[in-house]
Short mmCIF file of all heavy atoms in Angstrom, two decimals:
data_model
loop_
_atom_site.label_atom_id
_atom_site.label_comp_id
_atom_site.label_asym_id
_atom_site.label_seq_id
_atom_site.Cartn_x
_atom_site.Cartn_y
_atom_site.Cartn_z
N VAL A 1 -4.66 -0.22 -6.86
CA VAL A 1 -4.39 0.82 -5.91
C VAL A 1 -3.87 2.09 -6.53
O VAL A 1 -4.03 3.24 -5.94
CB VAL A 1 -3.35 0.27 -4.89
CG1 VAL A 1 -1.92 0.20 -5.58
CG2 VAL A 1 -3.25 1.17 -3.66
N ASP A 2 -3.41 2.03 -7.76
CA ASP A 2 -2.90 3.20 -8.48
C ASP A 2 -3.98 4.22 -8.76
O ASP A 2 -3.70 5.38 -9.07
CB ASP A 2 -2.13 2.89 -9.72
CG ASP A 2 -0.82 2.29 -9.38
OD1 ASP A 2 0.00 2.89 -8.71
OD2 ASP A 2 -0.51 1.14 -9.93
N LEU A 3 -5.25 3.87 -8.69
CA LEU A 3 -6.40 4.80 -8.85
C LEU A 3 -6.28 5.90 -7.86
O LEU A 3 -6.84 7.03 -8.11
CB LEU A 3 -7.70 3.99 -8.81
CG LEU A 3 -8.92 4.79 -9.31
CD1 LEU A 3 -8.77 5.13 -10.83
CD2 LEU A 3 -10.21 4.06 -9.07
N LYS A 4 -5.69 5.67 -6.72
CA LYS A 4 -5.52 6.71 -5.65
C LYS A 4 -4.61 7.87 -6.03
O LYS A 4 -4.57 8.89 -5.44
CB LYS A 4 -5.07 6.07 -4.33
CG LYS A 4 -6.06 5.07 -3.72
CD LYS A 4 -5.43 4.32 -2.61
CE LYS A 4 -4.88 5.25 -1.50
NZ LYS A 4 -4.32 4.44 -0.36
N ARG A 5 -3.66 7.58 -7.03
CA ARG A 5 -2.66 8.56 -7.35
C ARG A 5 -3.29 9.74 -8.17
O ARG A 5 -4.36 9.59 -8.74
CB ARG A 5 -1.62 7.92 -8.18
CG ARG A 5 -0.80 6.81 -7.53
CD ARG A 5 0.35 6.39 -8.42
NE ARG A 5 1.00 5.17 -7.86
CZ ARG A 5 1.88 5.25 -6.90
NH1 ARG A 5 2.22 6.38 -6.33
NH2 ARG A 5 2.46 4.11 -6.48
N GLU A 6 -2.60 10.86 -8.18
CA GLU A 6 -2.96 11.90 -9.07
C GLU A 6 -2.72 11.35 -10.48
O GLU A 6 -1.72 10.88 -10.88
CB GLU A 6 -2.01 13.14 -8.90
CG GLU A 6 -2.37 14.30 -9.76
CD GLU A 6 -1.51 15.55 -9.48
OE1 GLU A 6 -0.72 15.48 -8.52
OE2 GLU A 6 -1.62 16.52 -10.20
N GLY A 7 -3.86 11.47 -11.30
CA GLY A 7 -3.73 10.88 -12.65
C GLY A 7 -3.82 9.43 -12.66
O GLY A 7 -3.62 8.77 -13.75
N GLY A 8 -4.29 8.79 -11.54
CA GLY A 8 -4.31 7.31 -11.48
C GLY A 8 -5.32 6.69 -12.35
O GLY A 8 -5.18 5.51 -12.71
N ASP A 9 -6.36 7.44 -12.76
CA ASP A 9 -7.29 6.86 -13.73
C ASP A 9 -6.62 6.36 -14.97
O ASP A 9 -6.91 5.23 -15.49
CB ASP A 9 -8.35 7.93 -14.12
CG ASP A 9 -9.40 7.45 -15.05
OD1 ASP A 9 -9.23 7.51 -16.23
OD2 ASP A 9 -10.51 7.00 -14.54
N ALA A 10 -5.67 7.18 -15.48
CA ALA A 10 -4.96 6.81 -16.71
C ALA A 10 -4.06 5.59 -16.46
O ALA A 10 -3.93 4.74 -17.34
CB ALA A 10 -4.12 7.92 -17.21
N ALA A 11 -3.48 5.42 -15.26
CA ALA A 11 -2.66 4.23 -14.96
C ALA A 11 -3.44 3.00 -14.94
O ALA A 11 -3.03 1.98 -15.57
CB ALA A 11 -1.97 4.45 -13.63
N VAL A 12 -4.59 3.02 -14.26
CA VAL A 12 -5.43 1.88 -14.21
C VAL A 12 -5.97 1.51 -15.59
O VAL A 12 -6.03 0.28 -15.99
CB VAL A 12 -6.60 2.05 -13.25
CG1 VAL A 12 -7.61 0.96 -13.32
CG2 VAL A 12 -6.06 2.11 -11.84
N ARG A 13 -6.35 2.49 -16.35
CA ARG A 13 -6.89 2.27 -17.67
C ARG A 13 -5.72 1.65 -18.62
O ARG A 13 -6.07 0.89 -19.47
CB ARG A 13 -7.33 3.54 -18.31
CG ARG A 13 -8.68 4.05 -17.83
CD ARG A 13 -9.13 5.36 -18.49
NE ARG A 13 -10.34 5.84 -17.91
CZ ARG A 13 -11.60 5.40 -18.31
NH1 ARG A 13 -11.65 4.46 -19.30
NH2 ARG A 13 -12.64 5.89 -17.78
N ARG A 14 -4.48 2.01 -18.34
CA ARG A 14 -3.44 1.40 -19.17
C ARG A 14 -3.35 -0.11 -18.96
O ARG A 14 -3.17 -0.83 -19.92
CB ARG A 14 -2.13 2.06 -18.64
CG ARG A 14 -0.95 1.85 -19.60
CD ARG A 14 0.28 2.62 -19.19
NE ARG A 14 -0.07 4.04 -19.15
CZ ARG A 14 0.08 4.89 -18.12
NH1 ARG A 14 0.51 4.37 -16.95
NH2 ARG A 14 -0.25 6.14 -18.18
N THR A 15 -3.55 -0.56 -17.72
CA THR A 15 -3.60 -2.06 -17.52
C THR A 15 -4.84 -2.64 -18.10
O THR A 15 -4.80 -3.72 -18.73
CB THR A 15 -3.47 -2.35 -16.06
OG1 THR A 15 -2.22 -1.89 -15.55
CG2 THR A 15 -3.56 -3.87 -15.82
N LEU A 16 -6.02 -2.00 -17.95
CA LEU A 16 -7.24 -2.55 -18.48
C LEU A 16 -7.17 -2.56 -20.00
O LEU A 16 -7.63 -3.57 -20.64
CB LEU A 16 -8.42 -1.69 -18.01
CG LEU A 16 -8.74 -1.78 -16.46
CD1 LEU A 16 -9.82 -0.74 -16.11
CD2 LEU A 16 -9.15 -3.17 -16.08
N ASP A 17 -6.59 -1.59 -20.62
CA ASP A 17 -6.41 -1.57 -22.05
C ASP A 17 -5.56 -2.71 -22.49
O ASP A 17 -5.90 -3.36 -23.49
CB ASP A 17 -5.71 -0.25 -22.52
CG ASP A 17 -6.61 0.99 -22.50
OD1 ASP A 17 -7.85 0.82 -22.50
OD2 ASP A 17 -6.09 2.09 -22.49
N TRP A 18 -4.50 -2.98 -21.76
CA TRP A 18 -3.55 -4.09 -22.15
C TRP A 18 -4.35 -5.42 -21.98
O TRP A 18 -4.19 -6.32 -22.86
CB TRP A 18 -2.38 -4.11 -21.21
CG TRP A 18 -1.26 -4.96 -21.62
CD1 TRP A 18 -0.25 -4.72 -22.52
CD2 TRP A 18 -1.11 -6.40 -21.28
NE1 TRP A 18 0.55 -5.82 -22.72
CE2 TRP A 18 0.07 -6.82 -21.99
CE3 TRP A 18 -1.77 -7.25 -20.46
CZ2 TRP A 18 0.51 -8.16 -21.91
CZ3 TRP A 18 -1.34 -8.56 -20.35
CH2 TRP A 18 -0.21 -8.99 -20.97
N LEU A 19 -5.11 -5.56 -20.93
CA LEU A 19 -5.88 -6.82 -20.73
C LEU A 19 -6.92 -6.96 -21.83
O LEU A 19 -7.31 -8.10 -22.21
CB LEU A 19 -6.56 -6.78 -19.42
CG LEU A 19 -5.62 -7.03 -18.20
CD1 LEU A 19 -6.27 -6.69 -16.89
CD2 LEU A 19 -5.17 -8.48 -18.14
N ALA A 20 -7.39 -5.83 -22.40
CA ALA A 20 -8.38 -5.88 -23.46
C ALA A 20 -7.74 -6.00 -24.87
O ALA A 20 -8.44 -6.05 -25.86
CB ALA A 20 -9.31 -4.63 -23.42
N GLY A 21 -6.42 -6.07 -24.91
CA GLY A 21 -5.72 -6.30 -26.17
C GLY A 21 -5.02 -5.09 -26.80
O GLY A 21 -4.49 -5.20 -27.88
N ASP A 22 -5.04 -4.01 -26.12
CA ASP A 22 -4.35 -2.76 -26.59
C ASP A 22 -2.98 -2.63 -25.93
O ASP A 22 -2.93 -2.32 -24.73
CB ASP A 22 -5.24 -1.52 -26.28
CG ASP A 22 -4.54 -0.21 -26.73
OD1 ASP A 22 -3.46 -0.24 -27.23
OD2 ASP A 22 -5.27 0.86 -26.53
N SER A 23 -1.92 -2.88 -26.68
CA SER A 23 -0.57 -2.83 -26.07
C SER A 23 0.14 -1.44 -26.14
O SER A 23 1.30 -1.35 -25.87
CB SER A 23 0.32 -3.87 -26.75
OG SER A 23 0.43 -3.58 -28.15
N SER A 24 -0.62 -0.40 -26.47
CA SER A 24 -0.02 0.94 -26.66
C SER A 24 0.57 1.53 -25.33
O SER A 24 1.35 2.45 -25.35
CB SER A 24 -1.00 1.97 -27.26
OG SER A 24 -2.12 2.07 -26.44
N GLY A 25 0.17 0.94 -24.21
CA GLY A 25 0.65 1.43 -22.93
C GLY A 25 1.97 0.73 -22.47
O GLY A 25 2.47 1.01 -21.40
N GLN A 26 2.53 -0.12 -23.28
CA GLN A 26 3.80 -0.67 -23.00
C GLN A 26 4.92 0.30 -23.05
O GLN A 26 4.93 1.30 -23.79
CB GLN A 26 4.13 -1.85 -23.95
CG GLN A 26 3.24 -3.09 -23.74
CD GLN A 26 3.53 -4.23 -24.64
OE1 GLN A 26 2.82 -5.23 -24.64
NE2 GLN A 26 4.49 -4.06 -25.52
N GLU A 27 5.98 0.08 -22.28
CA GLU A 27 7.18 0.87 -22.24
C GLU A 27 7.78 0.86 -23.71
O GLU A 27 7.89 -0.17 -24.41
CB GLU A 27 8.25 0.29 -21.32
CG GLU A 27 9.64 0.63 -21.59
CD GLU A 27 9.98 2.08 -21.52
OE1 GLU A 27 9.23 2.82 -20.89
OE2 GLU A 27 10.93 2.50 -22.21
N CYS A 28 7.99 2.08 -24.27
CA CYS A 28 8.32 2.21 -25.65
C CYS A 28 9.69 1.68 -26.12
O CYS A 28 9.93 1.49 -27.27
CB CYS A 28 8.17 3.68 -26.15
SG CYS A 28 9.27 4.80 -25.31
N SER A 29 10.56 1.48 -25.12
CA SER A 29 11.93 0.88 -25.43
C SER A 29 11.90 -0.59 -25.68
O SER A 29 12.92 -1.18 -26.09
CB SER A 29 12.89 1.33 -24.42
OG SER A 29 12.57 0.58 -23.14
N ILE A 30 10.77 -1.25 -25.40
CA ILE A 30 10.70 -2.78 -25.50
C ILE A 30 10.94 -3.15 -26.95
O ILE A 30 10.41 -2.48 -27.94
CB ILE A 30 9.35 -3.33 -25.05
CG1 ILE A 30 9.25 -3.16 -23.50
CG2 ILE A 30 9.14 -4.68 -25.51
CD1 ILE A 30 7.91 -3.52 -22.96
N GLY A 31 11.69 -4.18 -27.21
CA GLY A 31 11.89 -4.76 -28.49
C GLY A 31 13.31 -5.07 -28.75
O GLY A 31 14.25 -4.23 -28.39
N GLY A 32 13.62 -6.17 -29.40
CA GLY A 32 14.94 -6.51 -29.68
C GLY A 32 15.57 -7.51 -28.76
O GLY A 32 16.13 -8.50 -29.12
N GLU A 33 15.43 -7.23 -27.42
CA GLU A 33 15.91 -8.12 -26.39
C GLU A 33 14.76 -8.41 -25.46
O GLU A 33 13.91 -7.52 -25.24
CB GLU A 33 17.11 -7.58 -25.62
CG GLU A 33 18.31 -7.27 -26.44
CD GLU A 33 18.37 -5.81 -26.96
OE1 GLU A 33 17.45 -5.04 -26.57
OE2 GLU A 33 19.23 -5.54 -27.76
N PRO A 34 14.78 -9.52 -24.75
CA PRO A 34 13.83 -9.76 -23.65
C PRO A 34 14.06 -8.75 -22.56
O PRO A 34 15.16 -8.26 -22.37
CB PRO A 34 14.13 -11.13 -23.16
CG PRO A 34 15.51 -11.44 -23.69
CD PRO A 34 15.75 -10.68 -24.90
N ALA A 35 12.97 -8.40 -21.86
CA ALA A 35 13.02 -7.34 -20.84
C ALA A 35 12.34 -7.82 -19.59
O ALA A 35 11.46 -8.65 -19.62
CB ALA A 35 12.42 -6.05 -21.37
N VAL A 36 12.70 -7.23 -18.39
CA VAL A 36 12.02 -7.37 -17.19
C VAL A 36 12.03 -6.02 -16.46
O VAL A 36 12.85 -5.14 -16.87
CB VAL A 36 12.67 -8.43 -16.21
CG1 VAL A 36 12.58 -9.84 -16.80
CG2 VAL A 36 14.09 -8.06 -15.97
N ALA A 37 11.20 -5.86 -15.57
CA ALA A 37 11.12 -4.58 -14.77
C ALA A 37 10.89 -4.86 -13.30
O ALA A 37 10.05 -5.64 -12.96
CB ALA A 37 10.01 -3.62 -15.30
N PHE A 38 11.63 -4.17 -12.48
CA PHE A 38 11.59 -4.38 -11.04
C PHE A 38 11.81 -3.10 -10.30
O PHE A 38 12.54 -2.27 -10.68
CB PHE A 38 12.69 -5.37 -10.51
CG PHE A 38 12.59 -6.79 -11.00
CD1 PHE A 38 13.34 -7.28 -11.97
CD2 PHE A 38 11.72 -7.66 -10.34
CE1 PHE A 38 13.21 -8.59 -12.46
CE2 PHE A 38 11.56 -8.97 -10.73
CZ PHE A 38 12.37 -9.43 -11.76
N ASN A 39 11.12 -3.01 -9.11
CA ASN A 39 11.60 -2.04 -8.09
C ASN A 39 12.92 -2.47 -7.61
O ASN A 39 13.21 -3.65 -7.43
CB ASN A 39 10.50 -2.09 -6.94
CG ASN A 39 11.05 -1.32 -5.72
OD1 ASN A 39 11.51 -2.05 -4.76
ND2 ASN A 39 10.95 -0.05 -5.75
N LEU A 40 13.83 -1.50 -7.43
CA LEU A 40 15.24 -1.87 -7.14
C LEU A 40 15.36 -2.58 -5.76
O LEU A 40 16.16 -3.55 -5.66
CB LEU A 40 16.08 -0.56 -7.09
CG LEU A 40 17.56 -0.74 -6.80
CD1 LEU A 40 18.27 -1.72 -7.72
CD2 LEU A 40 18.24 0.63 -6.78
N MET A 41 14.61 -2.12 -4.76
CA MET A 41 14.72 -2.86 -3.44
C MET A 41 14.22 -4.23 -3.59
O MET A 41 14.81 -5.20 -3.06
CB MET A 41 13.85 -2.08 -2.46
CG MET A 41 13.85 -2.78 -1.09
SD MET A 41 15.44 -2.90 -0.26
CE MET A 41 15.58 -1.30 0.50
N THR A 42 13.13 -4.47 -4.36
CA THR A 42 12.66 -5.77 -4.56
C THR A 42 13.66 -6.65 -5.24
O THR A 42 13.88 -7.80 -4.89
CB THR A 42 11.32 -5.69 -5.33
OG1 THR A 42 10.39 -4.89 -4.65
CG2 THR A 42 10.72 -7.10 -5.60
N LEU A 43 14.23 -6.15 -6.33
CA LEU A 43 15.29 -6.82 -7.05
C LEU A 43 16.47 -7.17 -6.16
O LEU A 43 16.97 -8.31 -6.18
CB LEU A 43 15.73 -6.04 -8.26
CG LEU A 43 16.82 -6.68 -9.17
CD1 LEU A 43 16.35 -8.03 -9.68
CD2 LEU A 43 17.21 -5.77 -10.29
N ALA A 44 16.86 -6.21 -5.35
CA ALA A 44 18.04 -6.46 -4.44
C ALA A 44 17.74 -7.54 -3.46
O ALA A 44 18.63 -8.30 -3.10
CB ALA A 44 18.38 -5.14 -3.69
N MET A 45 16.49 -7.73 -3.01
CA MET A 45 16.12 -8.76 -2.14
C MET A 45 15.93 -10.13 -2.88
O MET A 45 16.03 -11.23 -2.31
CB MET A 45 14.85 -8.45 -1.39
CG MET A 45 14.95 -7.28 -0.46
SD MET A 45 16.20 -7.44 0.87
CE MET A 45 17.54 -6.50 0.29
N LEU A 46 15.68 -10.04 -4.16
CA LEU A 46 15.45 -11.24 -5.02
C LEU A 46 16.68 -11.91 -5.45
O LEU A 46 16.77 -13.20 -5.44
CB LEU A 46 14.62 -10.81 -6.18
CG LEU A 46 14.06 -11.88 -7.13
CD1 LEU A 46 13.08 -12.77 -6.32
CD2 LEU A 46 13.32 -11.23 -8.29
N VAL A 47 17.73 -11.11 -5.79
CA VAL A 47 18.93 -11.72 -6.36
C VAL A 47 19.63 -12.64 -5.30
O VAL A 47 19.60 -12.42 -4.10
CB VAL A 47 19.96 -10.65 -6.83
CG1 VAL A 47 19.45 -9.89 -7.98
CG2 VAL A 47 20.36 -9.74 -5.65
N GLY A 48 20.08 -13.77 -5.77
CA GLY A 48 20.73 -14.73 -4.89
C GLY A 48 19.82 -15.77 -4.21
O GLY A 48 20.18 -16.58 -3.53
#
């Protein structure tokens, strides 16, 4: 669905690149500790 966004071509390609083995589109702060990422509302509904 992100293809609909302004610049969405790059977003969709980021996932396709990752699926094809190119991890350069990962968040650059990753490393050292395990990580997760959530929308805040989704996380607020998930906890508990």
Side-chain angles (χ1 to χ4, degrees):
V1 71
D2 287 306
L3 193 64
K4 294 170 57 178
R5 299 188 187 278
E6 182 177 355
D9 182 274
V12 170
R13 287 180 181 277
R14 196 172 299 123
T15 297
L16 293 172
D17 286 342
W18 193 89
L19 287 165
D22 178 359
S23 60
S24 62
Q26 288 180 184
E27 158 60 27
C28 63
S29 67
I30 288 174
E33 300 91 7
V36 294
F38 290 101
N39 169 259
L40 180 57
M41 176 64 82
T42 301
L43 180 59
M45 296 297 102
L46 187 63
V47 295

